[in-house]
Amino acid sequence: MLELTCDVLQGSVLGPVLFLIYINDIINASKILQLILFEDDTNIFLSDANLDRLISTLNSELACMSKWFAINRLSLNVFKTNFILFCNSRKRYDKCEIKIMLNGIVLEQVKCAKFFGVYIHVDEYLSWDDHIQEVACKVSRNVEILRKLKFTLRQTCLLLLYSSLVLPYLHYCSIIWGCSSPNKLKSLIVYYKKGCRGLRIIAKAEFRAHTTPLFKKYSLLKIMDICQFQIAFFMFKFTISKLSSMFNSYFTYTKFHPSLFYT
């Protein structure tokens, strides 16, 4: 048995709060890196027009981060830490020349990373194929749960399960991945049909029954309507200044002129 002089008890009510307080000053470990903290997940961002300077600066600042971990008696699992490089598709670089190091270990470079529940894939189109595929698998699995329970639970309970197991995946961040290019949106058709199948199960309708009346009956939105609604709601909050100040420069107001709508 050993006496612990520095610890946060796991499984306690105050444990998560104490942990967040303990690591809250990690943002002061570097004056250059931009850190985004969410629970126990930390993301680091750095940008530069010159790739060599970017690598040099990042390695230097990660050394400061490593020192902060050592001072606070924390250990970072380097093998679960990776990095992703966003760059212009016309710029070519050798992956072997990019060495981002932490505690003397070279970090793995990945093409796809999970950021707050959204899978970001790096290519020349910044596609959302990985995220859409992940959501489609979860929706398909949860729709199968509804199918097995359709003869056991009442319709109201099935609708509640649909709202809990399917709709959250359709709504979460669809304002981002729902605005993909037309070619990328084709994969949403299969994804959308799986959600419709769950609605047919709730209504105990035929396999090929038209779903538009069902969406209207249960006051639900289709997948593309959800995307459009989130965009409209986002712009509404922008017009009434309810968004973060970081979005202030995203849009500019223009005066209405009737001649713009005539050719």
Side-chain angles (χ1 to χ4, degrees), residues 77 84 134 255:
N77 193 333
I84 188 168
E134 179 69 17
K255 292 183 178 180

Side-chain angles (χ1 to χ4, degrees), residues 117 119 130-141 166 168-170 172 177 191 194:
Y119 290 86
D130 295 272
H131 181 74
I132 293 172
Q133 183 62 33
E134 179 69 17
V135 173
C137 292
K138 292 179 179 179
V139 168
S140 178
R141 182 170 61 249
V166 177
Y169 297 108
L170 299 176
Y172 185 66
W177 53 261
Y191 165 53
K194 290 177 180 179

